[in-house]
Amino acid sequence: MADLNTPVRYLKGIGEKKALALNKLGVFSLYDLISFFPRKYEDRSRICPIAAAPEGEGVCIRAMVADVPRLSRIRLGMDLVKLRAVDDSGSVDITFFNQSYAKDNLHRGESYNFFGRMEFKGGRRCMANPVYEPVERAGQVTGRIVPVYRLSSGLNQRSIMQAVRQGLDCCLETLPDALPEDVRRRCRLAQVRYAYENIHFPPDFEALELARRRLIFEELFVLSCALGSMHRQRSRDEGIRLRPVDMDRFWASLPFRPTQAQLRAVGQAAEDMCSGAVMNRLIQGDVGSGKTLAAAALIWLCAENGYMSAFMAPTEILAQQHYDTLSSMLSPFGLRVGKLTGSMGAREKRLIKAQLQKGELDLIIGTHALFSQDVEYSKLALVVTDEQHRFGVNQRSALISKGGRPHVLVMSATPIPRTLALIIYGDLDISVIDQLPPGRQKVDTFAVDESYRARLNGFIRKQVQEGRQVFVVCPMVEENEELNIKLKSAQEHAAQLSALFPDMKVACIHGKMKAKDKDDTMSAFVAGDIQILVATTVIEVGVDVPNASLMIVENADRFGLSQLHQLRGRVGRGQHKSYCILVSDNDSPEVKSRLNIMCKTGDGFKISEEDLRLRGPGDFFGSRQHGLPEMHVADLGADVNVLQQAQEESRRLLESDPGLQLPEHRILRDKVEQLYKANSAGFN
Ligand code: ADP
Ligand code: MG
C-alpha cells in the first residue's frame, strides 16, 4: 500500500521519461494520477458481427484468425503484417503497420477481440492497426468501456491506463472521503472509492454516471463551502457605518423615475452600508438595466455622509465614459469628481493624488492606477468595480491598507441563472436588477447563412450611408484549431471588408494587440472616425457607442448564448433602430434552435437559463471571467440539480459547523483550505 503523495515514478513501467511526460500533464503524485480523469470514453463493450459493422466507425469484433499472419517489408523502415479474421457473419482483412510482433502474437485458429475502425476497400472489409486481446483474456482494452486520457508526448493511452490502474490498486484504500457521511447519504452519492474506480474503469454507463455525479458534487460542494465560509467571515468584519439618508432627494433630481428593481438594489446596498458590517455586494443586471445609476445613488449616499468613493473601470475608455456619465449625474449635487488613469501626465496625476490625500474629492474614477502604491485616500467608504476586477487577495489588502475598510460593490452585466450565481458569487450578497427602464427599443435579431452574404453587405452599406456604425465580431481562432473548420479570422475578414468598401474606414481589434493600440482603435470608433469595426470578443466589455446600430456576428454558432447576448448589447444604445445579424452555415437543428432563441427574446436572464439548459454550466465555469479556480467540473459537465444540491448542502453544513471544526469535517476543511491557498491570487 502506497501513500497518496508517492511520486508516480514509483510505479512499475513509469521510468524517468514517462514520469516527466506525466508531470507535463500536472501529474506528480499518485493522488494526482488517480485524479487525472479521462477526457472521454470509448464504448468497446458491445461486440458487433463483422457483417453488421458500420463503415468508418470504431467497432469491437470477436473473430478467429483464419490464416497464418504474413509479414512483408514494403520499403526500408516499413513493414506490414496481414491476416484474415472471420466470425459467423463474414470476414475482415486486418493489417498492422510497423508492428511486426503482431505476427507472433496472433495465432491461426484462435479467437480475439479486435477494436478498430472498419473500412471498405474494393468490396472487402478491412481494419488497420486494431487493438486486440485473446478472447479468454479480454476486458482490458476491448469488451468494455475504455477511458481516453489527455496525452503528452512520450505517453500513449495504454501506458496511462496501466499507470492509473496501478495507482488505484495501491492507494484507493487510503483515499479519504471529504463528504460528510450524512450529506452523501441524503444526496444518494457514491462513496469516494467507488467514484475514483469507476470514473476510470466503469463496467457500464450506469456506474460511470454514479461516479461522475459524485465527483461533480464534491467539487461544487467544496467550492460552495469555501465561498460560504468566506462570506460568513466577511459579514462579521466591521465596516464604516453610514447614517441613513432619504434617497428620494437623489432620485428626484433625475429626468426619469428609477425602476422598482433599481430601488430595490440600492435599498439593499444602502442597508448593508448602514449596518456597521462591511458590504460585499454584487449587483447583477442586464446591459442597459441602469447599474451605473444605482452605483451613482450609493456614491451620493457616501458623499452625504462625508465620505468618498472610488470607481474602478477595466480600461481607459471605460474610465472616460464612466467619468462623463457620473459627473453629469453627480455634479448637480455639488459632488467633486476626479479621474486617474495610467495615461495621464505626471503633473495631472500629482494634482489628483494631492486632492485625494486631502479629501478634496467625493468620487474618483479610474483604472487600476487607483490602487498604485503612492495613492492615498482620505475617508474612502465605497469601492465600485466591474466583475472583471473582482479583487484578488493582494488587491484587497492594498485597499484595506489605504485606510478604513471600504464597502465593495461589484457590478456584473452577465445575467446568470440564480443557481449558478450562488455558486460563482457565493461569497457575495447578490442584488438583481431584472427590469429594463421603460421605452427601450428591441434590437431586431436575425439568424442567416452564407447565402445572405450579398444582402448583408448591402445592409452594411445602407447603415453606414445613413451615418451609423457597424460592429463585426469574429470568433477567436485558437492555435490548436483543426484546420478543416473554416473560421473567419478577424484580420482576414477586416481586409475583405476593407476591399469591399473602399470608401469606408474599416479597422480591426483583436486580443493580441497591445492594450494601448486597442484603446486607440476603440477611441477612434467611439469618436466616429471608424465606420466598421471588426473584432474578436474584446468588445464584449461595456463600451458605449450610441451611434452603432448594426452588430454582425460571424460563425455565430461558435458563441454561447450569453456571449451573443452580451455582444448584442453593444448596439441599441442610442435613439437609432438597431439590428443584430447572426451568421452561421451550421445547419444542425441544435444550432438552429439556439440561434432562434436569440431572435425571439431580448431578456438576458431567460437567455442564460436556456444556455444553461442546452449546454450545461461548463461554459459559465469555463469562461474564467469569474475569477474562480479552474475546475474539473467544466470537463465533466455538471447538471443543474447537482449544482443546486451542492449549494443547499453546503449552506446546511456551515450553519451547523461554521468553522468546519468538527473532527468528521477535517478532510473537508483541508480541501477548503487547499482551495484558498491554491488560488490566493485570483480568487477573492
Ligand atoms: P448599465 O450600466 O446597467 O448597462 P446604465 O446605467 O449605463 O446601464 O444605463 C443605461 C442607460 O439607461 C443610461 O443612459 C441611463 O441614463 C438610462 N437609465 C438608467 N436608469 C433609467 C431609468 N430608470 N429610466 C430611464 N432611463 C434610465
Ligand atoms: Mg454600464
Side-chain angles (χ1 to χ4, degrees):
M1 194 93 336
D3 184 72
L4 287 167
N5 296 317
T6 310
V8 281
R9 181 78 166 77
Y10 161 91
L11 294 174
K12 249 192 1 224
I14 302 294
E16 204 171 326
K17 268 202 187 131
K18 282 196 178 142
L20 280 174
L22 281 168
N23 294 166
K24 257 191 226 141
L25 295 167
V27 174
F28 297 88
S29 65
L30 292 188
Y31 182 64
D32 297 337
L33 180 65
I34 64 173
S35 308
F36 186 68
F37 301 145
R39 186 166 61 81
K40 60 174 188 176
Y41 302 84
E42 233 162 31
D43 186 3
R44 302 183 190 169
S45 59
R46 239 172 35 89
I47 305 286
C48 183
I50 293 175
E55 182 173 6
E57 277 177 38
V59 288
C60 198
I61 57 169
R62 175 166 300 167
M64 188 184 76
V65 174
D67 47 18
V68 177
R70 297 169 308 279
L71 173 67
S72 55
R73 292 251 136 75
I74 345 183
R75 52 183 158 80
L76 202 65
M78 171 71 119
D79 55 45
L80 195 67
V81 174
K82 277 189 165 202
L83 60 93
R84 200 166 57 89
V86 296
D87 69 4
D88 291 345
S89 74
S91 75
V92 56
D93 293 333
I94 293 180
T95 45
F96 294 94
F97 295 97
N98 283 347
Q99 296 183 35
S100 50
Y101 47 86
K103 179 178 180 303
D104 305 318
N105 287 346
L106 293 160
H107 304 289
R108 184 171 138 191
E110 287 181 17
S111 291
Y112 301 85
N113 282 355
F114 295 93
F115 176 83
R117 192 209 298 256
M118 189 66 86
E119 306 282 6
F120 289 29
K121 272 184 201 146
R124 301 174 63 94
R125 288 167 193 273
C126 38
M127 207 179 245
N129 296 329
V131 296
Y132 56 90
E133 290 172 317
V135 168
E136 322 81 66
R137 283 187 281 121
Q140 263 218 49
V141 291
T142 68
R144 63 181 290 172
I145 299 167
V146 175
V148 180
Y149 296 94
R150 246 176 340 111
L151 294 178
S152 62
S153 68
L155 286 170
N156 58 27
Q157 292 297 344
R158 212 187 267 242
S159 54
I160 293 204
M161 235 167 86
Q162 280 166 354
V164 171
R165 181 68 268 161
Q166 282 186 70
L168 288 170
D169 288 345
C170 66
C171 63
L172 203 55
E173 288 299 312
T174 61
L175 197 60
D177 200 333
L179 289 184
E181 184 64 14
D182 62 318
V183 172
R184 202 180 59 71
R185 283 178 191 277
R186 204 165 30 241
C187 300
R188 297 167 186 277
L189 297 163
Q191 299 199 7
V192 68
R193 284 161 213 171
Y194 180 94
Y196 273 78
E197 172 66 32
N198 288 284
I199 198 74
H200 292 288
F201 303 113
D204 51 45
F205 284 101
E206 211 176 15
L208 175 59
E209 183 50 30
L210 283 174
R212 203 184 62 93
R213 186 180 160 87
R214 140 85 206 206
L215 292 167
I216 292 172
F217 181 96
E218 178 179 327
E219 188 167 40
L220 293 171
F221 180 73
V222 171
L223 178 64
S224 300
C225 286
L227 293 166
S229 46
M230 269 192 276
H231 184 234
R232 270 165 194 273
Q233 176 57 45
R234 284 205 202 144
S235 45
R236 275 200 307 273
D237 287 349
E238 231 171 276
I240 298 162
R241 185 192 292 273
L242 299 184
R243 169 179 48 79
V245 173
D246 179 8
M247 301 295 293
D248 281 342
R249 272 178 42 228
F250 176 77
W251 298 126
S253 78
L254 300 176
F256 43 72
R257 290 159 58 91
T259 61
Q260 281 307 312
Q262 282 170 319
L263 285 174
R264 193 177 55 231
V266 169
Q268 288 165 343
E271 194 174 312
D272 291 350
M273 299 204 300
C274 300
S275 72
V278 170
M279 171 172 80
N280 279 289
R281 184 169 286 277
L282 170 80
I283 292 193
Q284 229 202 337
D286 217 338
V287 272
S289 59
K291 294 181 295 293
T292 316
L293 182 66
L298 297 166
I299 291 165
W300 176 83
L301 168 65
C302 290
E304 285 286 303
N305 272 272
Y307 283 97
M308 79 164 299
S309 308
F311 193 118
M312 176 148 117
T315 64
E316 299 243 345
I317 315 179
L318 281 170
Q320 183 60 44
Q321 286 195 342
H322 284 308
Y323 176 76
D324 295 339
T325 359
L326 288 166
S327 311
S328 74
M329 282 177 190
L330 294 167
S331 35
F333 292 96
L335 265 64
R336 299 155 299 177
V337 183
K339 191 180 75 162
L340 181 63
T341 65
S343 71
M344 279 165 49
R347 229 194 57 133
E348 252 183 313
K349 276 189 198 159
R350 225 175 12 247
L351 213 67
I352 288 283
K353 284 178 200 163
Q355 284 181 309
L356 284 174
Q357 199 180 7
K358 280 185 268 171
E360 290 173 358
L361 290 175
D362 300 296
L363 170 63
I364 180 78
I365 295 158
T367 53
H368 48 259
L370 288 181
F371 300 109
S372 45
Q373 292 242 307
D374 55 347
V375 183
E376 274 176 56
Y377 291 89
S378 152
K379 303 198 84 178
L380 179 63
L382 173 64
V383 176
V384 184
T385 95
D386 215 272
E387 95 184 287
Q388 298 174 350
H389 273 162
R390 292 181 73 198
F391 296 113
V393 168
N394 301 337
Q395 281 160 306
R396 184 170 297 281
S397 46
L399 259 180
I400 290 168
S401 70
K402 290 192 183 301
R405 266 182 179 248
H407 300 292
V408 174
L409 185 69
V410 180
M411 301 206 295
S412 163
T414 322
I416 59 172
R418 184 169 170 75
T419 359
L420 223 51
L422 284 174
I423 299 238
I424 292 182
Y425 298 113
D427 59 325
L428 304 174
D429 292 302
I430 302 178
S431 296
V432 177
I433 305 189
D434 52 3
Q435 194 179 15
L436 292 184
R440 274 295 148 74
Q441 279 195 38
K442 183 169 162 288
V443 176
D444 284 348
T445 305
F446 304 93
V448 304
D449 59 28
E450 280 301 326
S451 66
Y452 281 77
R453 184 61 67 188
R455 274 204 264 173
L456 184 54
N457 288 334
F459 193 53
I460 295 179
R461 176 166 296 283
K462 181 157 165 285
Q463 289 290 311
V464 173
Q465 276 166 354
E466 285 173 15
R468 302 287 81 75
Q469 287 163 281
V470 180
F471 282 113
V472 182
V473 173
C474 298
M476 208 93 79
V477 181
E478 305 276 336
E479 280 175 18
N480 57 358
E481 197 85 56
E482 294 155 50
L483 291 168
N484 53 3
I485 306 173
K486 227 177 157 292
L487 285 183
K488 294 242 147 54
S489 101
Q491 278 141 297
E492 279 169 38
H493 195 55
Q496 281 171 17
L497 287 173
S498 193
L500 201 62
F501 303 111
D503 50 328
M504 299 174 197
K505 182 105 175 65
V506 180
C508 179
I509 192 166
H510 55 86
K512 294 212 179 79
M513 281 162 75
K514 283 202 206 90
K516 166 100 176 43
D517 296 337
K518 271 193 248 179
D519 255 22
D520 288 348
T521 308
M522 210 58 224
S523 303
F525 190 67
V526 173
D529 298 336
I530 291 169
Q531 280 81 47
I532 303 176
L533 184 66
V534 184
T536 52
T537 46
V538 285
I539 54 160
E540 254 183 90
V541 287
V543 178
D544 203 5
V545 188
N547 190 46
S549 63
L550 175 57
M551 164 62 68
I552 298 170
V553 184
E554 299 288 345
N555 299 103
D557 53 290
R558 305 283 293 200
F559 295 86
L561 289 182
S562 300
Q563 237 180 337
L564 289 174
H565 179 67
Q566 287 297 309
L567 291 170
R568 177 167 63 183
R570 298 298 107 219
V571 297
R573 300 171 80 84
Q575 73 272 36
H576 312 290
K577 174 79 204 146
S578 298
Y579 306 88
C580 175
I581 316 277
L582 307 171
V583 188
S584 168
D585 251 1
N586 187 327
D587 57 3
S588 87
E590 187 258 348
V591 166
K592 286 200 154 164
S593 81
R594 272 197 323 120
L595 297 183
N596 238 327
I597 294 166
M598 292 300 300
C599 304
K600 278 203 290 252
T601 178
D603 179 337
F605 281 96
K606 223 184 246 166
I607 288 170
S608 70
E609 292 279 357
E610 283 293 320
D611 216 5
L612 182 62
R613 196 175 60 77
L614 290 172
R615 310 219 298 181
D619 279 0
F620 293 93
F621 287 124
S623 67
R624 305 270 300 143
Q625 275 183 4
H626 42 65
L628 282 181
E630 191 151 10
M631 308 219 283
H632 286 107
V633 181
D635 302 339
L636 294 172
D639 71 44
V640 181
N641 289 335
V642 182
L643 221 58
Q644 232 152 5
Q645 265 187 335
Q647 177 71 28
E648 277 161 26
E649 289 294 339
S650 74
R651 209 169 14 226
R652 187 203 284 243
L653 183 74
L654 288 174
E655 244 150 55
S656 68
D657 181 13
L660 300 178
Q661 295 299 329
L662 294 176
E664 62 266 37
H665 298 151
R666 207 204 76 232
I667 300 159
L668 176 62
R669 195 180 72 221
D670 288 350
K671 285 215 158 193
V672 166
E673 274 166 12
Q674 274 165 24
L675 199 60
Y676 280 127
K677 266 190 230 135
N679 297 284
S680 57
F683 186 30
N684 56 342

